[in-house]
Amino acid sequence: LRDDPDKPRFVETVIGKGYRFVMQSIDVEVPTVVQHQDPPAPINTTPANPVLTNHFATDHAANNHIPTHDGEKDERRKRLPVWLLPAAGVLVLTLAGVVWYLIRPLPPPRITGNTQITHDGVQRWVAGTDGQRLFVEQHRFGGRTAAQVDISTGEATDIPIPVEGPSLCAVSPDGHTLMFSPHDGTLWTVSAEGGSLRRLTEKLNGAQAWYPDGKSVVYTIDNDVFVARSDGTDIRKLTSVGGPVFDMDYSPDGKTIRYTQGDALWEMSSSGSNPHRLLPGWPPSSSTCCGRWTPDGQFFIFVEGNELTEAGWNVKAGQLWALDERRRLFRRPPAEPVRLTADANGWWDPTLSKDGRSIFARGVTPRGELLRYDPKTKTIDPYLGGISAEFLTFSPDGKSVAYVTFPQGILWRANRDGSAPVQMTQPPMYPVLPRWSPDGSQIVFMASPGLHRPNVMFVVPAQGGKTQRLLPRENGQEVDPNWSPDGRKVVFWDGVHNDIRILDIASHQVTTLPGSDRLFSPRWSPDGRTIAVYDPPNCLTKLFDIAMKRWSTLVKAPPGEFIEWSPDSRYIYTFCVGNRPGVGRINIEKNKYERVVDLKGFRPTGYIWTYMGLDPEGAPLILRDTGLTDIYALTLEVK
């Protein structure tokens, strides 16, 4: 309007509010469109509103050079480019499309299928791949080995590493070098084809990972994180994390380290700074662990489960999730992960293929069949209907039995024949090695409160009720609780001090069994005279005479997983896992080992991979593996 901003005649700007019309009166001239073919028609110039005057319209047009002639206005319209309006529309649509593309949610990743790679049910943990082979740690009844699995055929062959029972830890980015740990807890590297070994560290406890360029490694000792060159030199401490660390992995750009601590995923910078929980508050009642990045760093694949606990080889399984970390201009990645699997199988140990299109994972459907060996008929038959259960303990009167279902990890009490079961505990607690008290009033067991948390002792009333800590204390690891025959004491292994201790139930006083350093699996004899313990490094069973306060060593038996007293205190039964798997026993009076049953070809299962118990008559009970556990390639689709 060519108005004066200081002395407006028509529109006044009101600061902070907007605009206001201030004109008092105007004249309006209504022109007609000139029709060149016909003479112009008369125009009615009578104002529509008597308040308006022609004077204002004429003056306004003159002062602001606005043509009042109809022909001039028509010529101006003709001079406007005809393409201007469509072009402006195209430009607006293009800009809107660009903005939408930049801020639109990207399609989430998804699993579109899977291919089973192995078909033999052997327990295997995938440590890495070179693109053609999977490098795995495999467990068979009788030993642990490192092996390679051909991805296309599923054929597995052992890797010739000249140590006993190597635990495969990580694979170098180029797939040429393996990192492993023997039983002594040291850390070594070896060529993927086998051969000479190189020691990295004298002590190991926790997680290991390779830097993306393959020139350095990171590992943990106790609660400290160290980084070193891949040849073991130039060792320096990064940080302390305040607890055990597992399943460590570098981001592809080398800037971030993620790991499992407790029952959650954590991360810190590659310099060791700013350690913090990765997904605080998600999920509110589940555990997360075992994460791996895709090679392009756009997704972080991990395991989540409602009942992940510090469980045995077959129990560790959950569902796979992906954390979307794709970055775009004006777009933030989703705050919560996307679920990839939701099937009956549990999944574990995700490892990404080199091209990022497949997730190699162990599919687990655990189940067992409870069997009893009959010494008279020399046969092995289903017990309690072949229920999938372990850790049986019988009431003092022999009328009731308590057991833990596998893999659900629920403690039940039932009649001797398995009828009328009553649930005693709730997940995610996983009771292990329950023992009925001599007076039949309580059941003691050990359990882990969560993933990678130490086991502690609990008691629950035999008729059902509230579960309570037997020995309340902040820092403890209490394993293998066993009642004394009079029910006044409980013997257990103290994991903090690595020795055997005895708890007085009435006074809550804890004393150390003299000379029990580095001994394990205490078992109080039914007659109350001795305590049997296991010496793992030497595969020996030792006896502590309570009255004489002295130790004696029994005859050496094949390597075992369990020791159990016979009801008459004459034998100690062992579950052998060497080259000749089976059940044997040591005759205490003759100090002689006797073979009870040969289990060649038998596939055990259970919370700690194997289980053996005895019924009130002294007949061995074992759990046979009837579940499924194989490696699969899951197809990962990203659009």
Side-chain angles (χ1 to χ4, degrees), residues 172-252:
S172 63
D174 60 10
H176 294 163
T177 308
L178 311 179
M179 197 187 312
F180 72 94
S181 177
H183 282 302
D184 61 4
T186 55
L187 187 62
W188 299 72
T189 60
V190 65
S191 167
E193 310 304 326
S196 61
L197 312 181
R198 170 174 286 174
R199 185 194 296 266
L200 294 182
T201 153
E202 295 290 337
K203 185 180 180 182
L204 179 68
N205 181 294
Q208 316 81 32
W210 231 291
Y211 194 76
D213 63 6
K215 296 180 179 179
S216 58
V217 295
V218 63
Y219 55 86
T220 59
I221 299 177
D222 296 326
N223 300 332
D224 298 327
V225 182
F226 295 86
V227 65
R229 296 186 63 83
S230 57
D231 60 2
T233 62
D234 192 21
I235 301 173
R236 57 189 176 89
K237 179 179 174 180
L238 287 183
T239 187
S240 295
V241 291
V245 168
F246 303 87
D247 306 308
M248 188 175 284
D249 194 35
Y250 269 106
S251 62

Side-chain angles (χ1 to χ4, degrees), residues 435-551:
R435 304 283 178 172
W436 217 298
S437 63
D439 63 1
S441 64
Q442 298 181 93
I443 297 175
V444 66
F445 58 87
M446 68 177 185
S448 171
L451 186 67
H452 301 311
R453 296 179 183 177
N455 286 293
V456 293
M457 296 185 293
F458 291 88
V459 290
V460 61
Q463 298 305 312
K466 185 178 180 180
T467 299
Q468 295 181 331
R469 286 280 301 273
L470 182 61
L471 182 60
R473 55 180 180 175
E474 292 185 4
N475 299 317
Q477 185 176 6
E478 305 144 8
V479 177
D480 277 5
N482 264 235
W483 297 97
S484 62
D486 59 11
R488 298 178 179 178
K489 298 178 181 180
V490 170
V491 62
F492 64 96
W493 177 73
D494 189 317
V496 176
H497 302 92
N498 197 10
D499 56 19
I500 307 300
R501 307 224 164 178
I502 298 177
L503 167 66
D504 187 286
I505 299 297
S507 65
H508 285 86
Q509 295 297 313
V510 178
T511 58
T512 303
L513 194 66
S516 63
D517 186 46
R518 300 183 182 278
L519 300 180
F520 197 69
S521 297
R523 302 287 189 270
W524 216 307
S525 63
D527 62 14
R529 297 172 56 186
T530 57
I531 296 175
V533 298
Y534 192 63
D535 182 1
N538 301 308
C539 298
L540 293 172
T541 301
K542 295 186 175 182
L543 296 181
F544 181 77
D545 189 302
I546 297 175
M548 303 297 294
K549 299 186 183 303
R550 65 183 182 187
W551 290 94

Side-chain angles (χ1 to χ4, degrees), residues 313-354:
W313 309 127
N314 293 343
V315 183
K316 293 181 178 179
Q319 298 297 329
L320 298 181
W321 291 71
L323 183 60
D324 190 342
E325 300 191 281
R326 291 175 288 183
R327 297 311 199 266
R328 295 290 188 273
L329 188 63
F330 306 119
R331 176 189 176 274
R332 298 180 62 184
E336 292 194 351
V338 176
R339 186 166 186 164
L340 296 179
T341 61
D343 44 37
N345 268 4
W347 298 100
W348 201 250
D349 307 321
T351 297
L352 275 298
S353 62
K354 290 295 184 181

Side-chain angles (χ1 to χ4, degrees), residues 336-403:
E336 292 194 351
V338 176
R339 186 166 186 164
L340 296 179
T341 61
D343 44 37
N345 268 4
W347 298 100
W348 201 250
D349 307 321
T351 297
L352 275 298
S353 62
K354 290 295 184 181
D355 60 9
R357 297 178 181 176
S358 297
I359 302 174
F360 301 113
R362 183 163 59 98
V364 181
T365 307
R367 178 175 171 76
E369 181 185 27
L370 184 63
L371 304 175
R372 177 182 182 270
Y373 174 73
D374 190 326
K376 297 179 180 178
T377 62
K378 309 296 183 184
T379 59
I380 301 178
D381 304 305
Y383 190 67
L384 298 183
I387 186 174
S388 184
E390 57 182 337
F391 305 133
L392 276 71
T393 179
F394 295 85
S395 62
D397 60 10
K399 296 180 179 180
S400 301
V401 61
Y403 54 82

